[in-house]
């Protein structure tokens, strides 16, 4: 690796990248948040993706000074690509990052994007910003590539180094340089995509495919619930066939699965095609939080409770298990739906970051585990290890006699909660 690398954006994607490259050679780690830079300089990663010892072993110059990017000739942009309230792609972070990099772009530099986008975004949306801000010509004075992130937050097995990396470049020569840089840290190797657009499309369909598979089992869960059939028992039985895919029903949040399909459908509609299957899956998954809240209310009434006077505890707030990431967590939607009925909702999650919760949810605060007593119902919303370790006995003691347990992830069985009304997806 004979390139001077800079990583712009030190979040869930950028920091693992910076740490991996920083073990090979000194690199520049840039983030616009000075608070993030300060905590990384102190050896702390609040995302939990990179251990303190790995940060210490990496030679990273942490900075919030964009002028330091001028020293790099290989800049990786790894910033969020969210959607707005109308489910439209919000390229603001990506275009702002492109402008910052453009203003500090040196001739001969290769800029590689990792953010999930629709096909064409790198060359059609980002390159013009780079050119405008730098005064340089793409394809002559600087070049671009695309290598989609495949980070799975909270996953300690499938890591940056162990997941094959898709790489692409503006020219065959640039492709080889990009491939060589990533091959220096990704032991699983790289896959050379035919073009930048192919690489962009490959990324966006990875999560679209997963979204649709989860939507299918969520719809099956709704159907089987009306039939009085346990969905997980059905899936376990069907799973005895060798080629049955082991998807499970649940909430679909986070920065990828619940977001990426909208990037693809946006581009499809822009070119005159209205996607049907993809958007149908999105409607099902986006509606699951409301469905869960309504099921809880039904079980509560069946147990003799009154929703207006009810106190319901929720175990877990993050979008997935064993991870502090709150982005697009659908648990917030369950809370909002229950509170519309005047229900008192108490949420416990020791994995989530309290500061981020206050920032994400307008001052929303968690409760201590000890406050979960004499509840009318408990919703096990996230499959954190800590909840499995608590065990059915402790969780069962959180509710009043004859209360309701709704186990969204199927951590336990009905028999584990004697005397309680038990439900799951």
């Amino acid at each position: 690796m004979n390139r001077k690398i800079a990583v712009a954006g030190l979040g869930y994607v950028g920091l693992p990248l910076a740490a991996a490259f920083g073990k090979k050679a000194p690199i520049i780690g840039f983030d616009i948040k000075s608070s993030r830079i300060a905590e990384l300089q102190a050896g702390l990663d609040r995302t939990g993706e990179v251990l303190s010892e790995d940060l210490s072993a990496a030679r990273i110059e942490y900075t919030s000074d964009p002028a330091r990017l001028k020293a790099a000739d290989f800049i990786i942009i790894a910033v969020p690509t969210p959607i707005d309230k109308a489910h439209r792609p919000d390229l603001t972070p990506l275009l702002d990052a492109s402008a910052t990099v453009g203003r500090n772009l040196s001739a001969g530099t290769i800029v590689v994007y990792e953010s999930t986008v629709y096909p064409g975004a790198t060359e059609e949306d980002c390159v013009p910003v780079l050119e405008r801000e730098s005064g340089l010509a793409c394809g002559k004075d600087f070049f671009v590539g695309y290598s989609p992130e495949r980070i799975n937050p909270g996953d300690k097995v499938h890591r940056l180094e162990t997941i094959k990396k898709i790489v692409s470049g503006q020219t065959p020569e640039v492709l080889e340089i990009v491939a060589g840089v990533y091959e220096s840290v990704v032991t699983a190797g790289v896959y050379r995509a035919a073009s930048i657009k192919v690489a962009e499309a490959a990324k966006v369909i990875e999560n679209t495919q997963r979204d649709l598979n989860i939507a299918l089992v969520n719809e099956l869960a709704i159907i089987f619930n009306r039939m009085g059939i346990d969905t997980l028992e059905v899936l376990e039985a069907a799973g005895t066939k060798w080629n049955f895919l082991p998807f499970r029903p649940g909430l679909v949040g986070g920065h990828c699965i619940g977001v990426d399909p909208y990037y693809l459908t946006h581009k499809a509609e822009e070119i005159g095609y209205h996607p049907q299957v993809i958007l149908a899956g999105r409607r099902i998954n986006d509606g699951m939080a409301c469905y869960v809240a309504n099921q809880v209310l039904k079980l509560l009434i069946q147990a003799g409770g009154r929703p207006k006077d009810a106190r319901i505890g929720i175990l877990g707030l993050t979008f997935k298990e064993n991870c502090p990431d709150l982005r697009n967590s659908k648990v917030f939607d369950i809370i909002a739906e229950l509170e519309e009925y005047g229900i008192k909702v108490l949420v416990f999650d020791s994995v989530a970051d309290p500061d981020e919760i206050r920032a994400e949810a307008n001052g929303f605060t968690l409760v201590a585990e000890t406050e979960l007593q004499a509840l009318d119902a408990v919703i096990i919303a996230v499959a954190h290890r800590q909840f499995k370790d608590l065990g059915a006995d402790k969780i069962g003691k959180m509710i009043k006699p004859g209360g309701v347990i709704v186990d969204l992830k199927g951590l336990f069985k009905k028999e584990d909660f004697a005397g309680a009304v038990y439900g799951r997806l």
Side-chain angles (χ1 to χ4, degrees):
M1 185 175 68
N2 58 0
R3 289 267 166 172
K4 179 62 175 178
I5 295 175
V7 177
L10 299 176
Y12 281 90
V13 173
L15 186 63
L17 268 173
F21 285 121
K23 290 178 183 178
K24 298 290 183 179
I27 75 154
I28 298 166
F30 170 77
D31 198 284
I32 59 173
K33 293 182 180 178
S34 56
S35 58
R36 177 66 169 160
I37 294 300
E39 68 183 27
L40 291 174
Q41 289 173 333
L44 172 67
D45 171 29
R46 69 171 60 236
T47 70
E49 290 301 300
V50 181
L51 299 175
S52 296
E53 51 265 38
D54 291 324
L55 286 180
S56 299
R59 290 167 288 176
I60 306 172
E61 176 197 339
Y62 297 110
T63 181
S64 56
D65 178 8
R68 289 297 299 131
L69 296 172
K70 295 176 182 177
D73 61 6
F74 194 98
I75 301 176
I76 299 171
I77 296 179
V79 296
T81 43
I83 53 176
D84 64 17
K85 291 182 179 180
H87 297 151
R88 295 170 303 198
D90 179 6
L91 294 180
T92 303
L94 190 65
L95 298 181
D96 286 349
S98 297
T100 298
V101 169
R103 287 191 291 270
N104 298 278
L105 191 61
S106 300
T109 299
I110 295 175
V111 180
V112 177
Y113 288 87
E114 289 235 353
S115 307
T116 303
V117 291
Y118 45 73
T122 299
E123 293 157 295
E124 297 164 14
D125 296 295
C126 298
V127 164
V129 176
L130 291 172
E131 290 184 320
R132 183 190 71 220
E133 297 296 331
S134 67
L136 301 174
C138 187
K140 177 183 176 184
D141 303 316
F142 73 92
F143 300 87
V144 294
Y146 182 78
S147 180
E149 60 92 1
R150 280 176 165 172
I151 296 293
N152 186 26
D155 191 336
K156 303 304 179 185
V157 176
H158 303 99
R159 310 297 294 161
L160 168 70
E161 295 85 355
T162 62
I163 303 171
K164 180 163 282 193
K165 200 86 164 69
I166 296 175
V167 295
S168 62
Q170 191 171 4
T171 68
E173 294 76 18
V174 170
L175 172 60
E176 288 309 309
I177 294 172
V178 173
V181 169
Y182 280 103
E183 282 175 331
S184 70
V185 295
V186 180
T187 56
V190 303
Y191 177 86
R192 292 164 172 79
S195 68
I196 289 175
K197 285 184 179 179
V198 166
E200 291 168 327
K203 169 58 183 175
V204 80
I205 70 165
E206 288 176 12
N207 288 321
T208 299
Q209 182 187 69
R210 185 166 174 79
D211 189 46
L212 284 170
N213 277 297
I214 298 172
L216 172 61
V217 292
N218 274 337
E219 188 165 54
L220 292 174
I222 294 170
I223 294 170
F224 292 145
N225 179 60
R226 293 192 176 194
M227 294 180 175
I229 303 172
D230 188 294
T231 304
L232 291 190
E233 291 178 355
V234 174
L235 294 175
E236 287 169 359
T240 58
K241 190 180 181 194
W242 76 93
N243 62 350
F244 187 82
L245 301 178
F247 285 91
R248 293 290 185 265
L251 303 176
V252 180
H255 65 297
C256 286
I257 300 177
V259 173
D260 296 354
Y262 286 121
Y263 273 74
L264 184 57
T265 58
H266 168 81
K267 191 64 176 180
E269 289 176 334
E270 195 176 71
I271 60 174
Y273 178 78
H274 179 70
Q276 299 180 60
V277 175
I278 298 172
L279 289 175
R282 281 280 74 237
R283 284 192 294 272
I284 291 170
N285 286 341
D286 276 346
M288 286 306 290
C290 182
Y291 173 78
V292 167
N294 287 331
Q295 290 303 113
V296 172
L297 288 172
K298 286 181 182 179
L299 293 176
L300 187 63
I301 293 169
Q302 289 170 13
R306 297 180 61 221
K308 186 170 177 54
D309 302 323
R311 295 170 69 250
I312 294 180
I314 296 182
L315 300 181
L317 185 62
T318 63
F319 91 86
K320 68 177 293 188
E321 65 275 8
N322 310 315
C323 173
D325 198 346
L326 292 165
R327 289 174 294 177
N328 198 31
S329 172
K330 295 304 178 183
V331 182
F332 286 112
D333 294 348
I334 295 177
I335 296 168
E337 190 73 19
L338 292 175
E339 288 181 338
E340 284 191 13
Y341 289 90
I343 293 171
K344 174 69 175 178
V345 181
L346 301 92
V347 184
F348 168 64
D349 189 332
S350 63
V351 176
D353 186 310
D355 292 333
E356 288 193 23
I357 291 172
R358 282 188 284 272
E360 287 279 334
N362 298 320
F364 179 86
T365 57
L366 298 173
V367 303
E369 181 189 335
T370 54
E371 295 183 55
L372 299 179
Q373 298 179 28
L375 300 171
D376 296 279
V378 166
I379 304 171
I380 307 172
V382 187
H384 288 325
R385 255 181 245 102
Q386 68 181 122
F387 302 145
K388 185 71 173 176
D389 293 342
L390 272 178
D393 186 54
K394 282 189 177 180
I395 294 174
K397 288 178 180 177
M398 294 176 181
I399 60 172
K400 299 173 182 176
V404 174
I405 299 285
V406 176
D407 184 6
L408 295 187
K409 303 299 290 187
L411 283 184
F412 303 99
K413 297 180 179 179
K414 181 179 182 179
E415 302 80 55
D416 296 327
F417 299 98
V421 177
Y422 178 83
R424 65 187 184 187
L425 286 177

